[in-house]
């Protein structure tokens, strides 16, 4: 059963996965451009770190985009067919959802491997100034976790009913309204800031996306 | 033809008329300078009287909190000043050692104020205004960064960029110096990072050399880069454009000439002042309670000798200790904490669980 679902998942999302894998493979190589040159000046350690940090902003974006697109691709055919195919299968719903989730997570292994291989090659090819070290495994691990968190989040939202989506949207709207009223009333109370702190700091769900994504560092 | 005797006579006459005039001008200027000096003395006396009166006003009706040699003159308020002083004193005492006893005669003046009122307060010209709900930790930091210790001599103050203050965030500062050692565009900083103490000495500007920048930036490329990064706008103007263009085209002599025209302290140095402060802390730590007094004892001595004297060890030993502290403070480069992976995995499981409980298939 898993093989059949994985095959259908691959068919639906192969373009996204292929493009994502290429992007993930290329990104570490591009971020270390110039570091492999023999004539690179030894004075450029700061510039190198700066470039790596700038390119590093693309890792969480790529992870989010991959998670979102694969999650949408996972559920889109079911939504279009009004879940009739799924209902005809001799499976309880929880098992079907689990298989779908596992299939989506499996195809995401491609981009994660892409980034790991790209990072390892980039570090092996680069001549790093003394004091700087490469962290290809840590970066790939973090990227993997970020992709899976994004995928899980969008998978859960996509699997929900229109009512669930409405509830989530209503919650977001309520937060915005409260914030607007707090601002109008000149209260020193920021719901958005507090939510942001909760979400993007450890142990928040989005903490894995924040901070510096450095392929090389001190 | 003029008679030469006539010319000489006329010259004598002119000189005789000019000399009293010159004498009068000098006398007038001298008189003016004297009167300015008198005014300055008067103003100084008035300023001292005003200062003294302000101090009396600041002390009047106040309590004095004494912890160790710290004296804090403060108005009555709920501000936890004693608790803060108890926390601050050991740090101050351990840093300045015997010199900290001079604080008995140099009190803090603190005016605790109500943070919630808009009532106009009297102007305070002596001391610091502090809201009385300030936390003990913040108040401790305030006491530490404003220690009323006498300022150091000018040579030391210039080298350190200010007076010696107790350390507040030791590990973070050492971490920043570590990063600076790695990324500084200077051979001296890099060789210091790799363990060469001569490089450390140069990077910390302890060589007392005339052209110290030649040691900070020993290669032509480094010198050119240092100039291009910090002085491109300054030198690329008509007066220096020739030298500047030669320098940017690779003429090292032109670069050296330009660097020589900049004051010593204006040339970007391999390490910033935080590195020097850590070195002073290391010297005071090694030197014991008399270290601070020894550090400031001879203001004419070379900085390297003063530091070695304060530490009570050779400069190389001091630099070794300093470098070891910095290398040990290497900032953590791992992008997520060790338990972060488990937390992220937990969120993945939780969100997948949310998807399992969805009610989309409910038949109505």
């Amino acid at each position: 059963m898993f093989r059949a679902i994985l095959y259908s998942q691959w068919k639906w999302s192969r373009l996204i996965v292929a493009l994502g894998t290429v992007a993930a493979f290329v990104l570490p190589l591009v971020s270390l451009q110039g570091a492999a040159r023999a004539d690179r000046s030894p004075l450029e350690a700061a510039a190198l770190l700066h470039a790596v940090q700038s390119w590093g902003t693309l890792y969480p974006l790529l992870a989010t985009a991959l998670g979102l697109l694969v999650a949408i691709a996972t559920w889109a055919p079911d939504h279009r067919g009004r879940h009739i195919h799924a209902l005809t299968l001799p499976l309880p719903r929880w098992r079907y959802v689990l298989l779908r989730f596992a299939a989506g997570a499996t195809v995401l292994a491609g981009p994660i491997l892409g980034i790991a291989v790209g990072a390892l090659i980039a570090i092996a090819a680069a001549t790093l100034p003394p004091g700087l070290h490469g962290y290809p495994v840590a970066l790939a691990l973090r990227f993997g976790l970020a992709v899976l968190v994004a995928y899980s989040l969008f998978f859960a939202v996509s699997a929900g009913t229109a009512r669930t989506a409405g509830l989530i949207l209503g919650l977001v709207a309520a937060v915005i309204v409260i914030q607007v009223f707090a601002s109008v009333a000149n209260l020193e109370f920021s719901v958005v800031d507090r939510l942001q702190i909760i979400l993007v700091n450890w142990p928040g769900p989005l903490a894995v996306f924040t901070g510096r994504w450095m392929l090389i560092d001190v | 033809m003029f008679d030469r005797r006539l010319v000489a006579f006329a010259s004598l006459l002119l000189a005789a008329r000019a000399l009293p005039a010159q004498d009068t001008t000098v006398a007038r200027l001298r008189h003016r300078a004297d009167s300015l000096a008198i005014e300055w003395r008067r103003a100084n006396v008035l300023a001292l009287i005003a200062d003294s009166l302000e101090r009396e006003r600041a002390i009047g009706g106040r309590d004095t909190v004494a912890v160790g040699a710290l004296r804090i003159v403060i108005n009555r308020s709920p501000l936890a000043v004693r608790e803060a002083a108890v926390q601050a004193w050991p740090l101050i005492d351990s840093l300045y050692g015997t010199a900290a006893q001079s604080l008995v005669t140099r009190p803090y003046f603190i005016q605790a104020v109500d943070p919630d009122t808009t009532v106009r307060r009297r102007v305070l010209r002596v001391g610091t205004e502090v809201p009385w709900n300030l936390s003990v930790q913040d108040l401790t930091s305030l006491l530490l960064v404003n220690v009323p210790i006498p300022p150091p001599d000018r040579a030391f103050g210039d080298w350190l960029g200010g007076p010696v203050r107790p350390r507040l965030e030791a590990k973070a500062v050492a971490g920043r110096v570590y990063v600076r050692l790695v990324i500084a565009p200077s051979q001296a900083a890099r060789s210091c990072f790799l363990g060469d103490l001569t490089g450390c000495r140069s990077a910390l500007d302890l060589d007392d050399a005339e052209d110290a920048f030649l040691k900070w930036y020993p290669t032509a490329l480094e010198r050119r880069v240092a100039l291009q990064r910090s002085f491109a706008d300054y030198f690329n103007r008509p007066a220096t454009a020739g030298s500047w263009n030669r320098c940017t085209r690779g003429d090292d002599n032109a670069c050296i000439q330009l660097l020589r025209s900049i004051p010593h302290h204006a040339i970007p140095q391999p390490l910033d002042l935080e590195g020097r402060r850590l070195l002073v802390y290391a010297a005071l730590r090694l030197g014991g309670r008399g270290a601070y007094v020894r550090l400031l004892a001879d203001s004419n001595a070379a900085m390297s000798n003063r530091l070695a004297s304060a530490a009570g060890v050779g400069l190389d030993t001091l630099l070794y200790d300093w470098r070891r502290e910095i290398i040990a403070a290497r900032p953590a480069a791992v992008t997520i904490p060790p338990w972060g992976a488990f937390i992220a995995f937990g969120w993945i499981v939780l969100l997948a669980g949310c998807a399992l409980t969805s009610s989309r298939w409910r038949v109505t």
Side-chain angles (χ1 to χ4, degrees), chain A residues 27 83 85 97 113 134 154 175 198 210:
Chain A
L27 192 51
H83 298 266
H85 168 70
V97 174
L113 275 176
F154 294 119
V175 167
I198 291 167
T210 56

Side-chain angles (χ1 to χ4, degrees), chain B residues 227-238:
Chain B
L227 278 170
Q228 283 175 328
R229 282 188 183 169
S230 307
F231 296 100
D233 291 335
Y234 180 71
F235 284 126
N236 195 11
R237 56 197 167 100

Side-chain angles (χ1 to χ4, degrees), chain B residues 139-156:
Chain B
L139 188 57
T140 306
S141 301
L142 186 92
L143 295 178
L144 290 175
V145 297
N146 292 295
V147 183
I149 202 88
D153 56 274
R154 186 166 178 182
F156 183 77

Side-chain angles (χ1 to χ4, degrees), chain A residues 42-43 49 79 83 86 93-94 96-97 131-133 135 142 145 148 152 155-156 159-161 202-205 212 218, chain B residues 178 182-183 190 193-194 221-222 225 229 330 333 335-337 339-341 343 347-348 351-352 355-356 358-361:
Chain A
L43 311 180
L49 277 183
H79 291 338
H83 298 266
R93 183 182 183 277
W94 66 267
Y96 178 76
V97 174
L132 294 186
H133 304 88
Y135 298 95
R142 186 177 182 186
L145 288 172
L148 290 177
S152 312
F155 182 88
T161 58
W202 292 105
R212 296 157 76 228
V218 291
Chain B
Y178 180 100
V182 172
I183 66 169
R190 272 197 305 283
F193 175 76
L194 294 172
L221 177 64
E222 287 170 285
V225 169
R229 282 188 183 169
R330 177 183 166 191
T335 46
I336 50 174
W339 37 265
I343 289 175
W347 280 111
I348 293 166
L351 291 165
L356 292 183
S358 168
S359 57
R360 189 179 276 273
W361 283 4

Side-chain angles (χ1 to χ4, degrees), chain A:
Chain A
M1 179 59 77
F2 178 68
R3 195 178 289 179
I5 288 182
L6 181 62
Y7 178 68
S8 63
Q9 178 73 40
W10 168 247
K11 269 206 317 188
W12 298 334
S13 56
R14 61 189 164 196
L15 185 65
I16 300 163
V17 171
L19 287 177
T21 305
V22 171
F25 176 75
V26 168
L27 192 51
L29 297 170
V30 176
S31 71
L32 280 189
Q33 58 181 334
R37 282 200 333 254
D39 60 338
R40 187 180 54 77
S41 163
L43 311 180
E44 289 174 1
L48 190 62
L49 277 183
H50 184 70
V52 168
Q53 190 168 349
S54 299
W55 282 101
T57 53
L58 293 181
Y59 294 108
L61 289 179
L62 181 63
T64 309
L66 278 169
L68 173 67
L69 293 174
V70 171
I72 289 172
T74 303
W75 283 112
D78 276 344
H79 291 338
R80 270 201 304 275
R82 293 182 171 272
H83 298 266
I84 291 168
H85 168 70
L87 284 165
T88 59
L89 295 173
L91 284 175
R93 183 182 183 277
W94 66 267
R95 203 164 158 214
Y96 178 76
V97 174
L98 213 56
L99 288 170
R100 274 262 167 264
F101 182 83
T106 306
V107 297
L108 282 170
I112 297 169
L113 275 176
I115 218 156
V117 173
L120 284 167
I121 291 174
I123 290 297
T127 312
L128 299 181
L132 294 186
H133 304 88
Y135 298 95
V137 177
L139 184 79
L141 177 70
R142 186 177 182 186
F143 182 79
L145 288 172
V147 165
L148 290 177
V149 167
Y151 169 68
S152 312
L153 181 66
F154 294 119
F155 182 88
V157 173
S158 199
T161 58
R163 193 176 152 208
T164 312
L167 271 174
I168 293 170
L169 279 176
L171 203 65
V172 172
V175 167
I176 293 170
V177 168
I178 291 171
Q179 185 59 59
V180 168
F181 272 102
S183 302
V184 170
N186 207 15
L187 296 175
E188 287 181 5
F189 173 69
S190 175
V191 189
V192 175
D193 285 354
R194 284 180 187 216
L195 266 179
Q196 190 184 338
I197 289 167
I198 291 167
L199 289 175
V200 303
N201 288 337
W202 292 105
L206 306 181
V208 72
F209 292 93
T210 56
R212 296 157 76 228
W213 289 66
M214 301 294 281
L215 177 55
I216 58 167
D217 207 340
V218 291

Side-chain angles (χ1 to χ4, degrees), chain B residues 160-179:
Chain B
L160 192 62
V164 182
R165 296 282 185 232
R167 300 175 72 158
L168 292 179
E169 40 171 18
K171 181 90 176 170
V173 172
R176 285 199 291 272
V177 176
Y178 180 100
V179 174

